[in-house]
Amino acid sequence: MKKFYIFTILLFFSFPIFAQLCKESKLNVIKGQFINGNNFEGKYIYCRLINPEEDKMSQIDLNLNIDGTINSYIYNGGGNPSIQTSNLGVISIFDQFGGMESPARITYLTSLDKKLIILGEINLDYSQGQVVSYSIQNINDKLDIMSSIFSEKIMHYFIDNTQLSYPDYFLLLLFNSFLEKNISKDWIKQFYKKLNLMQHQDIINIYSQNVFFKNTTLCNKDKNEKNAFGCEVNNTQLSLCYDYINSKLFYRFGSQSKLELQLVKIIDDEDKKKSVITFTNKDTDYLVDTNLGKEGVRIKRKEMHFKKFECNPSTIEPMILNSFN
């Protein structure tokens, strides 16, 4: 205990700027291993500024020894950013600028040749506690090199029983070109299953629209629509798209270049729980079945079954309508 007090006093005099600027400060130790096998250990000092600005409420001074090489990094951000190490070989800084409706930023750090680098930053926007959009900034010019290094970790840790943090699930967005070329449909199913277990359905929607099914979905994310369900029926795309602002559910059939049929209905929370959803067009009903193993569309006219079409199993997107608030 005496050694700790001595260290704290020495630290105070070593960082006089923090004594002058900080309303609150904390010292934390950190250690782990980066993706390329470099081991690191060190400390970071969190400082909540006395005179904060709109985009600079706090500062983090990170000092790391990476296999004998000293590295430092200064982060400026919101009021209470959190730092986490990951089994994926990165350090993430998750910074939410307010409550669950406010924007957030995730900064990912890793090492290359014993040097600490910013792998990338992801900015998140929330609505009703769920992520509705994101953007990527500051992508490192070494990303292509890092993609091959990350591939084994991605394949292994995201499916196996490894505990991952919330920021870890967004990390794959930095490597979406890699995912499109190297990830199988079976892996995607397992990935969705794990996200469902972790109750990250909004992240599932992000990957559906922006990575895994972005070339097939008929949902328009620029118009507040989320992927609720989708598949190919006789080589034609079927998409259920949820407009969460106006509580509308769209039935769309066709392709991204040509829409053959669109139907719409207003839905409530009870409708979201249904596994068979009915859309009506004059005297014809379209019943979309999202039950596992029964996915497809039944068409009825005047209470008589007319046709039944099954989804191509390899093209099915998960049904996540009931996860949207």
Side-chain angles (χ1 to χ4, degrees):
M1 183 63 71
K2 183 181 294 183
K3 290 182 179 179
F4 176 77
Y5 287 131
I6 294 173
F7 177 75
T8 302
I9 294 171
L10 290 174
L11 179 69
F12 180 84
F13 287 107
S14 298
F15 297 93
I17 189 171
F18 281 92
Q20 298 172 25
L21 301 179
C22 299
K23 180 179 180 181
E24 173 190 354
S25 62
K26 297 177 183 177
L27 172 67
N28 299 274
V29 296
I30 188 172
K31 66 179 180 178
Q33 187 178 73
F34 286 122
I35 188 70
N36 57 6
N38 288 155
N39 295 298
F40 65 86
E41 62 179 353
K43 62 180 181 292
Y44 64 92
I45 302 172
Y46 164 80
C47 168
R48 188 176 181 92
L49 300 174
I50 293 177
N51 298 310
E53 300 174 6
E54 184 177 357
D55 57 349
K56 186 180 178 181
M57 300 176 63
S58 66
Q59 178 173 307
I60 292 177
D61 249 29
L62 177 63
N63 292 277
L64 293 182
N65 183 326
I66 304 178
D67 282 345
T69 301
I70 303 301
N71 288 259
S72 62
Y73 171 71
I74 295 177
Y75 174 85
N76 294 306
N80 192 28
S82 62
I83 291 185
Q84 296 178 330
T85 59
S86 169
N87 287 314
L88 295 177
V90 297
I91 294 173
S92 63
I93 304 175
F94 181 70
D95 196 357
Q96 191 144 11
F97 300 90
M100 285 306 293
E101 301 302 305
S102 64
R105 179 173 64 210
I106 308 174
T107 303
Y108 297 98
L109 307 174
T110 191
S111 69
L112 190 63
D113 300 325
K114 298 183 182 181
K115 293 182 179 180
L116 189 67
I117 64 171
I118 299 176
L119 186 61
E121 289 186 347
I122 296 180
N123 296 284
L124 307 173
D125 286 321
Y126 288 87
S127 176
Q128 300 181 43
Q130 294 188 331
V131 177
V132 294
S133 65
Y134 76 96
S135 62
I136 297 175
Q137 295 181 351
N138 298 335
I139 297 303
N140 194 282
D141 58 3
K142 304 295 185 182
L143 192 63
D144 289 340
I145 297 175
M146 303 304 289
S147 293
S148 60
I149 299 175
F150 269 89
S151 61
E152 184 176 350
K153 291 279 187 178
I154 289 172
M155 296 294 291
H156 176 67
Y157 283 106
F158 268 82
I159 302 304
D160 290 351
N161 297 321
T162 302
Q163 185 66 36
L164 298 176
S165 68
Y166 181 70
D168 284 341
Y169 290 101
F170 293 96
L171 177 62
L172 295 189
L173 295 174
L174 299 182
F175 303 96
N176 58 6
S177 59
F178 164 80
L179 291 174
E180 291 175 345
K181 298 175 182 177
N182 297 277
I183 299 298
S184 67
K185 295 292 186 181
D186 182 64
W187 188 92
I188 292 173
K189 290 180 180 179
Q190 295 180 65
F191 176 66
Y192 281 159
K193 182 178 180 180
K194 184 165 187 177
L195 286 180
N196 271 311
L197 290 174
M198 299 302 295
Q199 297 183 338
H200 291 327
Q201 289 87 353
D202 54 337
I203 305 179
I204 291 178
N205 180 69
I206 287 176
Y207 279 99
S208 292
Q209 287 187 320
N210 299 279
V211 182
F212 299 130
F213 301 104
K214 71 176 184 179
N215 296 322
T216 56
T217 181
L218 305 182
C219 301
N220 191 337
K221 62 182 179 181
D222 296 328
K223 293 184 178 180
N224 303 316
E225 294 178 4
K226 297 183 177 184
N227 286 28
F229 176 75
C231 70
E232 285 187 6
V233 177
N234 292 340
N235 298 317
T236 304
Q237 179 67 27
L238 164 66
S239 291
L240 297 188
C241 307
Y242 177 51
D243 176 350
Y244 60 93
I245 298 296
N246 300 299
S247 298
K248 292 181 179 179
L249 187 64
F250 292 91
Y251 171 105
R252 294 197 179 111
F253 191 75
S255 67
Q256 290 184 339
S257 60
K258 182 181 180 181
L259 193 61
E260 298 179 15
L261 178 63
Q262 174 174 283
L263 305 172
V264 62
K265 66 183 300 181
I266 303 295
I267 63 171
D268 55 25
D269 289 341
E270 287 301 315
D271 292 323
K272 294 179 185 179
K273 300 176 183 179
K274 296 177 181 178
S275 56
V276 178
I277 303 172
T278 302
F279 295 82
T280 301
N281 182 24
K282 298 180 180 178
D283 62 346
T284 303
D285 290 334
Y286 295 79
L287 289 76
V288 181
D289 193 338
T290 66
N291 283 295
L292 185 64
K294 299 180 181 180
E295 295 92 343
V297 182
R298 300 194 306 272
I299 301 177
K300 292 172 56 177
R301 286 182 181 172
K302 297 180 180 180
E303 302 302 320
M304 297 291 292
H305 287 283
F306 182 62
K307 289 183 179 180
K308 181 179 179 180
F309 301 96
E310 295 182 353
C311 290
N312 180 342
S314 66
T315 67
I316 296 173
E317 300 176 36
M319 172 59 170
I320 55 173
L321 179 62
N322 62 355
S323 70
F324 300 140
N325 292 331

